[in-house]
Amino acid sequence: MPTSSHISLTPRKQPRQKRALVTVNAIFEATIQVLVSDGPRRLTTTRVADRAGVSVGSMYQYFPHKQALFYALNERYLVRLAEKIEAACEAQHGAAIEKMVDSLVMTYWCAKTERPEVTRALYQSVAELDNQPLITAFAKRIDIATATMLKSASNASFTNLPIVTLTLLSTIFGTVRSVFEREIPSDKGDAICKQLAVMCIAYLNIVE
């Protein structure tokens, strides 16, 4: 099987009309369902097309192979996640760092646990992909949104804001991913989320 470094991950075309958008959304949802039920290795574009109720030909109009499909699915997920975090950060401009951290942690946690089976499936789907461009674009948006929020804090200021931002986000993202990779039960996960906020607030209260 060719690796993602040797094949194009760009969709053949973008949906423009309402009917095309409905078709692509159905393909994405079917992909998630097949990922959850069968895993990324057993997923095929034929199975996805059958689950979505579209022809294989219609499927290939947009996604020539499953790697392109995985890439587009992860791109859509990361764009929507970035939008949620940006909105949460903007809403906390001028607030105390305690409120900022609570909002940032809860927004990310809720987005990841809204459909936990989907989050796990997406983590698995990137194993065959070079998704670094997606991660880089996502990180840039989140770094800017978080740094701008922290800069406006009513009760703190930071000498090295880029490093503080990077440390804070790495701690949040890494902890949440660990919860999913270790398949920690939801009740313990919720407890970890609360402790994560406490830890991040303590860090911001002592860092310069």
Side-chain angles (χ1 to χ4, degrees):
M1 179 183 295
T3 63
S4 59
S5 61
H6 296 95
I7 58 178
S8 173
L9 298 176
T10 305
R12 281 181 167 152
K13 70 177 185 178
Q14 296 292 334
R16 303 295 182 186
Q17 299 179 344
K18 184 177 180 179
R19 182 176 179 181
L21 287 170
V22 170
T23 297
V24 170
N25 285 335
I27 291 172
F28 280 145
E29 182 58 33
T31 303
I32 290 170
Q33 292 175 12
V34 177
L35 274 173
V36 171
S37 63
D38 300 341
R41 292 188 178 279
R42 295 184 62 197
L43 181 145
T44 65
T45 51
T46 300
R47 287 187 179 185
V48 171
D50 288 343
R51 183 71 64 93
V54 302
S55 67
V56 174
S58 295
M59 178 96 168
Y60 286 158
Q61 287 184 34
Y62 302 99
F63 310 110
H65 41 70
K66 76 175 186 179
Q67 287 85 1
L69 179 56
F70 286 171
Y71 194 85
L73 181 64
N74 278 275
E75 181 178 36
R76 186 177 77 153
Y77 178 82
L78 288 174
V79 166
R80 290 182 174 182
L81 180 57
E83 290 171 349
K84 291 179 180 179
I85 295 176
E86 286 172 336
C89 287
E90 185 175 357
Q92 295 302 322
H93 282 191
I97 57 173
E98 291 80 8
K99 288 191 63 179
M100 290 179 174
V101 169
D102 282 340
S103 177
L104 183 59
V105 170
M106 287 306 301
T107 298
Y108 190 71
W109 178 253
C110 289
K112 288 289 186 175
T113 58
E114 182 179 6
R115 295 179 67 182
E117 74 283 1
V118 173
T119 299
R120 291 190 181 93
L122 289 176
Y123 280 147
Q124 294 174 357
S125 73
V126 299
E128 303 177 24
L129 296 179
D130 176 14
N131 70 329
Q132 190 56 48
L134 298 182
I135 298 299
T136 299
F138 171 77
K140 183 177 180 179
R141 292 179 63 173
I142 302 311
D143 287 353
I144 292 173
T146 304
T148 303
M149 176 184 69
L150 291 175
K151 188 176 182 180
S152 75
S154 63
N155 63 340
S157 61
F158 306 101
T159 303
N160 196 339
L161 185 58
I163 291 299
V164 171
T165 299
L166 182 59
T167 302
L168 177 66
L169 292 176
S170 296
T171 300
I172 294 171
F173 296 170
T175 300
V176 173
R177 178 156 189 159
S178 178
V179 169
F180 280 94
E181 289 181 340
R182 296 177 62 181
E183 298 186 354
I184 294 174
S186 59
D187 58 335
K188 291 184 178 180
D190 291 339
I192 291 173
C193 178
K194 293 177 182 178
Q195 293 299 310
L196 175 61
V198 171
M199 181 170 63
C200 291
I201 291 170
Y203 164 69
L204 292 180
N205 275 322
I206 64 172
V207 72
E208 296 181 354

